[in-house]
Structure formats: C-alpha cells, structure tokens
Amino acid sequence: MSEPSSASNFIREIVTADHAAGKHGGRVVTRFPPEPNGYLHIGHAKSICLNFGLANDIPGGICHLRFDDTNPTTEDPEYVQAIQDDVRWLGFDWHEKMFFASDYFERLFEFAVHLIGKGLAYVDTLTAEEMRTYRGTLTEPGKNSPSRARSVDENLDLFRRMKAGEFADGTHTLRAKIDMAAPNINLRDPVLYRIRHATHYRTGSAWCLYPAYDYAHPLSDALEGITHSICTLEFEDHRPLYDWVVKQADAPHRPQQIEFARLNLTYTVMSKRKLLELVSKKLVHGWDDPRLPTIKGLRRRGYTPEAIRAFCDHIGIAKREATVEMQLLEHFIREDLNKRAPRVMAVLRPLKVILDNYPDGQSEELGAINNPEDPAAGSRQVPFSRVLYIEQDDFREDPPKQFFRLAPGREVRLRYAYIIKCVGVTKDPQTGEITELHCTYDPLTMSGVAQEQRKVKATIHWVSAAHAVKAEVRLYHPLLATDLAKMSPDQDWTTALNPSSLERITDCLVEPSLRQAAPGSRYQFERLGYFCTDQDSTIEAPVFNRTVSLKDAWAKIEKAQPSK
RNA sequence: UGGGGGAUCGUCUAGCGGUAGGACGCCGGCCUUUGGAGCCGGCUACCUAGGUUCGAUUCCUAGUCCCCCAGCCA
C-alpha cells in the first residue's frame, strides 16, 4: 500500500520522534495482536490502520500479526483464518511476520524459571476464592499468601511438576512476587501461569500450563523486538506490570507500551462478548451478517476497504473516550462509491405504469450513462416499452406540498427516456389500493434532445415490465433501537435490539443488465442508494444488499411537514 | 476517603504561550435529466474557580464530572 500519510496523532508523534532520535536502533516495529476468539470488527480496523499505517509510513517500519493465543478454552483456528483474511482484505501486509504466542510457550517457561531463580516468582496454592480475599480491595491493601515464603528450590520443583501435569486445574498458580500492598492492584502478585488441562488448537495437549496475558504479552513483544506496543486504554494500569515483566525477566529488548481510546459507534455494539452473543443466540445470521460492524459484515454489506481506511484515518487517535456517529462511517462509503459505483435502475416497490399512447409490442433501447462522476465508465442500453414499473414512492394521488414527483395530471421525466403525464389511476375496487397508472408519453421529449420549454421538476427511475429482472433486496436498519448507555446494566442488553433491523423485499425489479451481477459487485441504484450483490445471489434469484442509502432531501422535507 | 486516565462546536478531531481550525451533521442558497453529486454561505465549543504572564485551550493550584482496575479472560 502506498497511500498518503494519515493525519498525525500523539502516537505517531512519539514513534516518529523515537525513529528520528535513533531509539531502538532506528527500527520501528509494531504489532497487531488479536486473540483468535472471535471475528474482527471496525474497532480492530482502527488498531490495524494505526499499527500497519505507522509501519508503512516510517522507512524500514514493519508491523507483525501476532495471535495472542494463550487461553486454550476460547480459541479456534476458524478465527485465525478469518483474522488473516480480514487484515489482508483491509489492504495490509505483515510481510511474512506472522507469529503465535503459543510458539513462545517454551521460551516463556524458561523466563519463568529465571524469574523463580531470582526469587521474583513463586508457586501459590491458594484457591481462586482465597486469592481474591488475599488480594484486598481497591482501598485496602492485600496480604501475603502463605506460599510466598517458599524457597526457590521448592518453587522450581513445584513449577516443573505443574508443567508435568501432576496437578489439577486450579490447584496451583505461578505468581509474580511484587507487592501485595501496591495501590495498583495489577501489581499485587499477579498470576503468571495457570493450570489448564485443555487442548490448545495449536499445541494440542503438549501443555497443561498456560501463561497469562500480563506475562505472555510483554515477553512476546520483547522476543519479537517490538518497539512500540500499542493497545487500548484499559491496559493503562497494566503498564507498570508490563515494564516489570520485561525488566525482571531480563528480556532481550524493552518495548514501550502506549495506549489509545477504543472506537465506539452509535447504534451498534462493538464488544466481542456481545457480538458472540448475537451470533451464538442466532439473533443475527452469522459473523458476516451485514447488520454487524464486523469486517466480514461490513464487507458483505458492500463496504470497501478504502472507505473503512478513510474512516479510520479520519476519526483520529486520542486518549479521550469517544463515540463516533454512524453517519460518519456512512459518509465515507458514500464518498467512495459515488466515484466508482456504476449506476443502474431498480425499482424496490413496483407500481405499474401503462403508457396509453406508446405502441403495444414496441420497444427501444435507450442510452444510459454508467457513472456521471466517471466518464471512463461509459454507457449502456436500457430497454423501454409500453408497460413500465416505477417506485410506489414516486406517485402520490394527493401530493403534499413540495412533492415534485408524479401525481394525477402531473408530468415527470423518466430517467434517460421521455416526459410522461399521469392521466388515470386504477384502483382495486375492494381495497382501494392503487394497482396501476395510465400515462401518456411525449415522443418529442426523448432524453438528450434539447427541450427549452419543457422543464419538469422531477426525474424518476423505472424498469420495463417485459425486460425487468425480479430480485430480492435486503435493507438494513440500525442494530440497536435504544442507546445502550442509557440502559441500566442489570437489564438484558438484547432488549435494545431493533426488531426490524433487517427488511427483505422480495419482489423488486431491476434492469436487465443486472441479471448476471457477480456476488460482491457494487452499484448505485439511481435515487435509492448503493447496493452490493450478496453472496446468496444467483442468476435465477439475484439478491442485493443495501450498503447505504443516498442522502434523501425529500425525506427530510416530508418529515418536517406539519402532519400526514 | 486506593490507583490509573480523560474533559475543545450536536459528533469526531486539531492546537504544543500569540485572532480556536477541519471533517461529519444541521440550516439556507446556487446548480442539476439522480430531491444524488458538486458549488457558495451559515451553525451558542475550550468543565469550573483561582494563579503565573503583556497575553492561557495551552503552564501552575484547587475543585467538578466521566472512564478503567479487586479473572487462574484478553
């Protein structure tokens, strides 16, 4: 990737200054370290853009992809694959520098032996329950575990036996010997290793002893020669422990941890726990459900990596907790797709229009511009005939103020075609529902012909009944109907879900050029929005996802109108 | 009544002692064969109170409010 440098931020300043000062031997090595226990989301994209972006922009910089797989009970190779796919799809490259914390288990064990030898770690026999009691509280100091006085030899012996599988889960831990009275709770003899007789997706049953994050992470960083270890704010008070581990283990290298605020977005959820809950309870259709802020979801919905990167660059990096408006994300996908999505005509909610004065059985091919923003996109032919469908929203029997579209006796232009006039409305005698419109067309108003005196206030899209292709369109609405921040924590957060976040319309009609739309291809349905061909789409049954609507000035006017 | 962080337009963000800027959003207008796009203009922001200084969003002090931490999760 060779895009213009991102806007600066405090982390970029630190890294740039360190690089200029020749710190770390002039190297810059960052890392993106997900635990493979879920799919990546837009919040991870922020971190990916930061870490890889930094490495890309600084000469000689490199960003590692490291799987922080130290907990065998939550991790799965499915996630390892998905994470690699997503990072690549976002446009980043780890240049072969892909690592697994689980590959360091042996070396991590040796560091622990070293720590024990220095008298800085001990095997504790307290139960989890007891350990909690001994830890003290936020305001009261903890007290030393009886195990703290064990000799180095005894610790070494016990630790090796822990590794050998002699003890059951939960019976022993390895703890750092720091300070049980430390005001920072993370320093009150944190657990370094715990026993887990579980199968790890990579190391199988080779280990029953697993290093904790606070121990494995700093040492993994050190082993890889990471210079700047960037993480989110909640790890701020782990930094003293991070530094302690690297220093006391006599690691070959001292990385610097820097924290920034994670991304929050309005109307959606970003925690792995909640996303997993949505997927496992089938509240959505999977990790790639287009309603989700996962990378896979956004991708299926039609988002481009370029738009996501532009968004990430734009929101900036800071330490203040912030919630970005979804509209900003939408702005970036509109901006990107406006420049490159080919325009087509599609009618979501069809209303039949019969052109009384257009010869029955006749049809013609009309030239249509593929993208007014991109002359190189060329043009195509769209068939026109006597019976058409227009959007139900484009006709009002009793038009409100400022409604410029079709109404009895009124004229509109059909995009790329003629000006038509509504001369009759047919209704279902039973329901009173409008079933079809009778219109006349003016053959002298063919699109492209100068029409000095014929100005109409609206141009609407249409499809030819005889040529249109039936399609399903899926519209997505916000995942959440209620702001989670306004809910009490004891309430079930899923009650905040928007029950109508997915709207499927199965009898849409699209222009024939869309018949063979390939899954993943993106279009602008004129006047409606940007749509992406879904992976479920087939030639027999095309399916389109609405990525985002176009900005809708009329919707605003209508909403602002007094009533009705 | 511990520790660690953070407070700038509605939202995100810039500012590094010298006229508080940008983006989104919103409101007008122009333009338009997409009520899209584009163009032009506008939109009650420095948490509070003191102090230092010719001058403070910036430095200092004291408050206020918000977030994180008591997993053998990461």
Side-chain angles (χ1 to χ4, degrees), chain A residues 1-27:
Chain A
M1 266 189 32
S2 58
E3 298 200 343
S5 294
S6 307
S8 198
N9 58 64
F10 79 99
I11 294 180
R12 190 168 278 259
E13 282 178 19
I14 292 170
V15 175
T16 306
D18 285 352
H19 181 250
K23 201 170 165 182
H24 302 291
R27 293 172 312 119

Side-chain angles (χ1 to χ4, degrees), chain A residues 527-555:
Chain A
R527 303 206 306 130
L528 297 175
Y530 295 98
F531 292 75
C532 179
T533 315
D534 191 75
Q535 62 195 40
D536 290 347
S537 195
T538 62
I539 291 175
E540 300 73 44
V543 180
F544 298 93
N545 295 317
R546 185 171 68 187
T547 309
V548 68
S549 66
L550 248 31
K551 287 209 264 182
D552 188 347
W554 164 244

Side-chain angles (χ1 to χ4, degrees), chain A residues 155-395:
Chain A
N155 282 321
L156 248 19
D157 175 59
L158 249 17
F159 189 51
R160 295 204 166 105
R161 288 165 59 196
M162 283 166 69
K163 184 191 180 194
E166 289 188 29
F167 305 113
D169 288 8
T171 56
H172 297 74
T173 55
L174 183 75
R175 291 230 257 170
K177 190 184 284 186
I178 307 181
D179 179 7
M180 288 306 293
N184 179 346
I185 291 188
N186 296 114
L187 262 18
R188 317 240 263 232
D189 290 9
V191 168
L192 268 24
Y193 272 92
R194 72 282 203 186
I195 299 172
R196 283 257 211 293
H197 289 273
T199 303
H200 186 280
Y201 77 98
R202 289 188 81 244
T203 59
S205 53
W207 293 84
C208 62
L209 196 58
Y210 291 93
Y213 166 86
D214 280 316
Y215 176 74
H217 200 90
L219 291 177
S220 301
D221 281 346
L223 288 170
E224 289 178 22
I226 301 299
T227 56
H228 302 270
S229 178
I230 302 166
C231 63
T232 44
L233 248 29
E234 66 270 27
F235 294 107
E236 237 163 353
D237 48 16
H238 291 236
R239 195 186 333 131
L241 176 54
Y242 181 104
D243 293 338
W244 184 95
V245 170
V246 170
K247 176 168 188 277
Q248 299 302 345
D250 297 303
H253 173 77
R254 302 267 184 94
Q256 176 187 3
Q257 176 180 302
I258 309 170
E259 311 85 10
F260 71 98
R262 59 178 349 127
L263 170 66
N264 297 294
L265 262 185
T266 55
Y267 305 113
T268 191
V269 295
M270 210 79 94
S271 86
K272 270 193 183 175
R273 197 207 101 220
K274 290 191 176 77
L275 291 170
L276 180 62
E277 190 175 346
L278 290 174
V279 173
S280 56
K281 288 186 176 171
K282 306 225 188 298
L283 267 13
V284 295
H285 300 317
W287 288 102
D288 65 347
D289 190 301
R291 290 169 290 183
L292 258 24
T294 52
I295 303 301
K296 291 258 190 283
L298 291 166
R299 178 180 181 175
R300 185 168 179 182
R301 179 148 169 175
Y303 271 79
T304 60
E306 290 82 359
I308 293 174
R309 276 189 256 128
F311 170 76
C312 290
D313 279 350
H314 186 89
I315 56 176
I317 300 293
K319 297 194 77 160
R320 159 167 50 153
E321 322 250 358
T323 301
V324 176
E325 290 175 340
M326 189 63 90
Q327 295 160 116
L328 187 61
L329 215 209
E330 293 179 343
H331 162 75
F332 284 101
I333 188 61
R334 283 193 187 103
E335 185 178 68
D336 187 18
L337 261 19
N338 174 51
K339 285 179 300 211
R340 47 188 208 170
R343 273 61 170 168
V344 293
M345 291 198 285
V347 174
L348 266 35
R349 297 177 179 83
L351 172 60
K352 187 187 252 183
V353 169
I354 298 164
L355 301 180
D356 292 339
N357 61 338
Y358 194 92
D360 201 4
Q362 179 178 315
S363 74
E364 57 190 309
E365 294 287 326
L366 307 178
I369 303 291
N370 285 332
N371 187 347
E373 302 290 319
D374 178 15
S379 61
R380 68 188 185 288
Q381 299 291 109
V382 183
F384 183 87
S385 62
R386 184 169 194 265
V387 182
L388 310 169
Y389 283 98
I390 64 167
E391 206 70 60
Q392 286 172 21
D393 282 352
D394 286 339
F395 175 80

